[in-house]
DNA sequence: ATGGCCTCCTGTATGC
DNA sequence: TGCATACAGGAGGCCA
């Protein structure tokens, strides 16, 4: 599922095509999503409105309209957004569709339906955003997301650092893949208690997180099985994976076999020799 | 407060 | 081939 880089790739795709487009129609196939606003609210607030900006916070996409309402989209594990000519056959998991004034349709496809689509009118959007993002940490690219900040957040925590990164309350947008990759790059074992990372290691880890996320965005994200950008094309950062999904294969640094364990139920990959 | 576990849902891979 | 099982990139809720 999409982590920060994949969501950012989708955002960049939408940003090229959505601004200035007016919504002509909205259709739902009635299948429930994890969270979804009522069809009547979507139609009332979106039809006749024009998209202005396409933003992102953590793994959420924020689409602002000219009536100042805000469409919030979360892709969950398998959500995809794509733009298609109106006549394109609708696929099984195309759950929601927005017809635009240029004959293209924005479609939300989500096999597992863990995604969310929420519309907030101008009056409630500020409150809604505050509640939605209340527990979410800093964006990794934000200037105030520093080693000292991370160290302070992790102080006293015995939780494995991988879970600390993925949990999003300190730093946003890092999921299973990029947590694994960043910890390898920084030479830190995923099961090391978050509170037992030195300042020097936090400096290195943050630097690697930023480098890897940027590189992944430049690669169009990671497509393991189902991530696609809005243009329907996959990313290729997966060819740069050092540890993720590489159990038993040679560590790119020392050539010893990569280990696979489960941490909080999630697949975890690391090199026991390079990561301490 | 913290951390572990479970759940939502479907598709795919693997093993018997 | 068919069937059962495990697992998948997220995230929120519940419980000890």
């Amino acid at each position: 599922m999409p982590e920060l880089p994949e969501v950012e790739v989708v955002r960049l795709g939408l940003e090229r095509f959505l601004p200035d487009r007016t919504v002509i129609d909205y259709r739902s196939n009635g299948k429930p999503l994890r969270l979804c606003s009522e069809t009547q609210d979507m139609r009332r607030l979106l039809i006749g409105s024009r998209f202005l900006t396409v933003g992102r916070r953590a793994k959420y996409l924020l689409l602002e309209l000219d009536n100042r309402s805000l469409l919030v989209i979360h892709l969950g594990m398998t959500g995809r957004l794509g733009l298609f000519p109106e006549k394109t056959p609708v696929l099984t998991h195309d759950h929601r569709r927005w017809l635009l004034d240029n004959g293209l349709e924005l479609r939300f496809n989500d096999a597992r339906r863990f995604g969310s689509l929420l519309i907030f009118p101008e009056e409630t959007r500020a409150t809604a955003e505050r509640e939605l993002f209340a527990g979410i940490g800093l964006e990794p690219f934000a200037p105030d997301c520093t080693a000292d900040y991370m160290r302070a957040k992790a102080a006293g925590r015995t939780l494995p650092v991988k879970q600390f990164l993925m949990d999003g309350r300190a730093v946003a947008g890092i999921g299973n893949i990029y947590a694994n990759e960043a910890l390898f790059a920084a030479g830190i074992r995923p099961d090391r208690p978050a509170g037992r990372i030195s300042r020097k290691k936090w400096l290195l880890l943050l630097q690697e997180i930023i480098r890897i996320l940027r590189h992944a965005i430049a690669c169009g994200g990671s497509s393991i099985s189902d991530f696609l950008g809005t243009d329907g094309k996959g990313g290729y950062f997966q060819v740069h994976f050092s540890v993720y999904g590489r159990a038993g294969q040679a560590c790119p640094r020392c050539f010893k076999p990569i280990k696979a364990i489960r941490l909080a139920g999630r697949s975890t990959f690391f090199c026991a020799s390079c990561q301490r």
Side-chain angles (χ1 to χ4, degrees), chain A residues 81-100:
Chain A
L81 286 167
L83 284 156
F84 305 89
E86 188 187 353
K87 302 284 180 200
T88 307
V90 175
L91 303 177
T92 311
H93 300 300
D94 284 342
H95 303 304
R96 305 292 187 270
R97 299 178 282 147
W98 297 263
L99 178 62
L100 307 176

Side-chain angles (χ1 to χ4, degrees), chain A residues 199-275:
Chain A
R199 182 173 185 278
K200 196 174 162 184
K201 277 291 190 185
W202 273 120
L203 275 170
L204 180 60
L205 180 53
L206 260 187
Q207 183 183 310
E208 291 300 332
I209 286 169
I210 289 166
R211 183 184 64 79
I212 288 168
L213 295 180
R214 284 202 196 286
H215 185 190
I217 292 166
C219 289
S222 300
S223 294
I224 297 176
S225 58
D226 53 18
F227 170 73
L228 296 176
T230 45
D231 55 2
K233 292 181 181 151
Y236 58 90
F237 185 75
Q238 65 278 10
V239 307
H240 297 287
F241 288 171
S242 294
V243 289
Y244 185 84
R246 302 190 67 240
Q249 298 181 47
C251 166
R253 195 180 285 154
C254 76
F255 307 111
K256 294 203 176 92
I258 299 295
K259 291 201 168 168
I261 59 170
R262 290 192 84 76
L263 221 45
R266 313 302 296 275
S267 295
T268 302
F269 304 92
F270 68 104
C271 173
S273 164
C274 295
Q275 294 171 255

Side-chain angles (χ1 to χ4, degrees), chain A residues 26 38-49 67 69 119-121 123:
Chain A
Y26 169 78
E38 296 293 333
T39 298
Q40 58 190 31
D41 293 330
M42 285 278 195
R43 295 179 63 88
R44 177 170 55 85
L45 290 164
L46 291 178
I47 293 175
S49 298
N67 61 359
S69 61
I119 185 79
F120 300 109
E123 308 85 73

